[in-house]
Amino acid sequence: MRMNRLALTAAGIAGAAALLAVPAQANAAQTTTTGTTVTCGASGLQAGKSTQLCAEVTGDSVRLFGRISLAGPPTPGSEPQTVDLLTSISGQVVGGASLGTASGQTRFTASTVEVPGVSGTVPCGSTVHGSFSVATFPWSPVPVTVDVVVPC
């Protein structure tokens, strides 16, 4: 049986409340491989999807990228709907230069999608702040962020 739109919205709101109840530190994920560290910020709900912004740091290079995935399990027996999402990723060295903004359109069906962002060389000891927004009619963006310190 298909969930009606109201039930789907209520489920999304309940999921968002659960995400907000968990401290942001518990949502952050770090992975280290051969001098590369990936730090992801807390997940958020945007355009009815789960979104997250990650920062990959290798030496003094920083790369920001987004992830879009389903906000919950698909409705049993339903076909996944393809949706075109407007995305934007921006990065800034706190108190310094901009890493720029990457905006575009991302096609999402049901599997997790990685959205390319911006990158740059950053002085060690600097903090990089990134923001990732996703929108589609009728939903406005509610950006997710990540902050990462470039080690010396």
Side-chain angles (χ1 to χ4, degrees):
M1 184 171 159
R2 289 188 148 171
M3 294 179 76
N4 65 30
R5 191 170 268 196
L6 181 58
L8 187 57
T9 300
I13 291 170
L19 284 173
L20 294 174
V22 177
Q25 293 169 327
N27 284 335
Q30 284 194 342
T31 307
T32 304
T33 309
T34 17
T36 298
T37 302
V38 176
T39 303
C40 296
S43 297
L45 291 176
Q46 298 186 80
K49 309 292 178 257
S50 176
T51 60
Q52 188 174 43
L53 181 62
C54 300
E56 179 183 82
V57 179
T58 305
D60 61 356
S61 295
V62 177
R63 178 179 76 95
L64 298 174
F65 62 94
R67 290 185 182 144
I68 303 171
S69 60
L70 289 174
T75 304
S78 68
E79 290 293 320
Q81 292 183 340
T82 299
V83 61
D84 289 322
L85 303 168
L86 300 175
T87 60
S88 180
I89 297 176
S90 63
Q92 173 87 31
V93 176
V94 176
S98 171
L99 296 179
T101 300
S103 298
Q105 189 170 339
T106 300
R107 183 158 282 187
F108 179 84
T109 303
S111 58
T112 300
V113 175
E114 186 173 298
V115 179
V118 295
S119 61
T121 302
V122 177
C124 76
S126 299
T127 299
V128 173
H129 174 78
S131 179
F132 177 39
S133 64
V134 177
T136 191
F137 182 79
W139 293 294
S140 298
V142 182
V144 292
T145 62
V146 69
D147 292 301
V148 64
V149 175
V150 176
C152 290

